Amino acid sequence: MRSSRIAAALGTTAALALGALPLSAPAQTPGAAEIGQRLGPSYAQLVNLSASPDLTTARYHVRSDPGVRLDVTRLPVAGKTYDWNERTLLETRLVAGYLRLASEIPVNGASPGRLDTRWVAYGLTAGVGARITLDDRFTLVPGFDAGVAQLENRTDYLGGAAFAQPLFDGTVFNWRSHAWLATPSAGLEWADETDVRRIEIRTRLAWSRVASFGESDPALRFRKSGGTFSVRGELTSPTNWAWFGRSPAWVLLAGHTAFLGPGRDVLGFPWISEVGAGLEWPSRASSDAPARLRVTLSGLFGPDVRGLTAGVGIEY
């Protein structure tokens, strides 16, 4: 059996075991339990990245294997901001996250076949954070988020791959598990504004502890850690247009996110970068309105991966 880079993170263990375990080995043998343990870091990172704001909502295409598809969606459910004192704002948030990683893993041999497999993680996270003004340009942004998620795998054994079903069903493929995650984070933001432009640079370091519970098989149990580091820059500048008496602003943005921890390459790429542009209306120069509509289009790229994302949101 050959595998893509994504399969290297999640499916290669299964591929090696196909040749290493006897066909009669049941799912609860020590070999199967060892497989579940070795995949624990990857499972934990899938849960972590489904909840991470550092992975942009988009569809990603892995160039090294056209059979690999990655869909990520994050939906803010609720959020509020409170004035703590003159220099500190408190923020609360509730966010839904969804990640789906689909791959086709060919099986070569006398009777060829393939595994059509999908890893899906989804859940809710709630968090609290602070924005602490250090001076006119720098802001410290600590935070803490906690949530629950469900992680599951759905696999179809096609053609000659059917012989693997008794070996791996319930442990490597076709299983489900719940998980909780706790994520402390810290960020530093820098902003500089003049009459003709505004520049913002934001950094964020987050480290998550993820633990499973309610597994469909005890071999799936894991308790692992993983994290992300991101840096993002934005430039906004007013245009000369006028919409309903107010001018929009151009938005140029760029960002980079690196995945950290033992499962950092579970998606097939250890980092992802983003470059994009858009419009914000009304611009800060033409209005002091507290809310602004922002529309952006960005390209995403990394090792053997490309993506495209469009965003519509309200900026406060």
Side-chain angles (χ1 to χ4, degrees):
M1 179 187 294
R2 62 181 178 87
S3 60
S4 67
R5 290 192 62 179
I6 289 184
L10 284 170
T12 293
T13 304
L16 294 174
L18 284 174
L21 294 178
L23 294 181
S24 60
Q28 291 288 356
T29 63
E34 181 182 354
I35 291 171
Q37 181 63 27
R38 290 176 60 184
L39 290 175
S42 296
Y43 294 158
Q45 190 71 309
L46 280 176
V47 173
N48 178 37
L49 295 178
S50 72
S52 172
D54 300 308
L55 192 60
T56 302
T57 296
R59 164 161 283 193
Y60 299 81
H61 299 276
V62 178
R63 294 186 303 168
S64 60
D65 190 334
V68 173
R69 301 168 303 282
L70 171 65
D71 295 292
V72 179
T73 302
R74 284 180 54 81
L75 180 63
V77 178
K80 287 188 177 182
T81 302
Y82 307 90
D83 290 322
W84 180 259
N85 56 42
E86 293 182 355
R87 302 178 66 88
T88 304
L89 291 176
L90 295 182
E91 301 174 331
T92 60
R93 51 188 174 262
L94 181 65
V95 181
Y98 173 87
L99 182 149
R100 182 180 185 269
L101 177 64
S103 179
E104 297 176 1
I105 305 177
V107 177
N108 298 325
S111 180
R114 75 173 190 270
L115 305 176
D116 285 349
T117 186
R118 289 85 64 196
W119 286 273
V120 179
Y122 52 91
L124 280 173
T125 57
V128 60
R131 298 183 59 82
I132 305 170
T133 302
L134 301 179
D135 57 29
D136 292 340
R137 295 184 178 181
F138 287 94
T139 303
L140 183 65
V141 189
F144 181 82
D145 296 83
V148 292
Q150 175 153 316
L151 177 64
E152 58 188 46
N153 176 271
R154 304 165 189 167
T155 298
D156 297 319
Y157 299 82
L158 304 177
F163 82 94
Q165 187 166 2
L167 295 173
F168 300 111
D169 239 23
T171 302
V172 176
F173 302 118
N174 287 324
W175 50 261
R176 67 181 183 279
S177 176
H178 305 292
W180 60 261
L181 67 159
T183 308
S185 62
L188 184 64
E189 300 181 0
W190 177 88
D192 183 64
E193 186 169 9
T194 68
D195 292 338
V196 296
R197 58 104 178 108
R198 176 179 173 84
I199 301 174
E200 296 179 82
I201 299 176
R202 298 190 291 270
T203 63
R204 181 177 184 269
L205 175 64
W207 191 259
S208 298
R209 184 65 172 171
V210 184
S212 64
F213 65 93
E215 306 89 349
S216 58
D217 189 297
L220 298 169
R221 188 171 295 120
F222 60 87
R223 186 180 297 267
K224 302 293 180 180
S225 298
T228 57
F229 174 76
S230 65
V231 57
R232 183 180 179 91
E234 293 184 2
L235 168 66
T236 59
S237 180
T239 68
N240 295 322
W241 311 333
W243 297 349
F244 305 101
R246 297 174 179 176
S247 66
W250 287 110
V251 179
L252 301 178
L253 58 91
H256 180 83
T257 297
F259 309 135
L260 310 175
R264 60 185 175 272
D265 60 348
V266 63
L267 300 180
F269 47 94
W271 57 266
I272 187 79
S273 293
E274 176 181 359
V275 176
L279 288 173
E280 182 181 272
W281 182 87
S283 68
R284 289 177 170 85
S286 65
S287 171
D288 59 358
R292 293 170 175 80
L293 176 65
R294 174 174 286 201
V295 179
T296 59
L297 180 66
S298 299
L300 306 161
F301 59 92
D304 292 319
V305 66
R306 294 292 184 270
L308 186 68
T309 181
V312 178
I314 301 295
E315 293 280 319
Y316 292 93

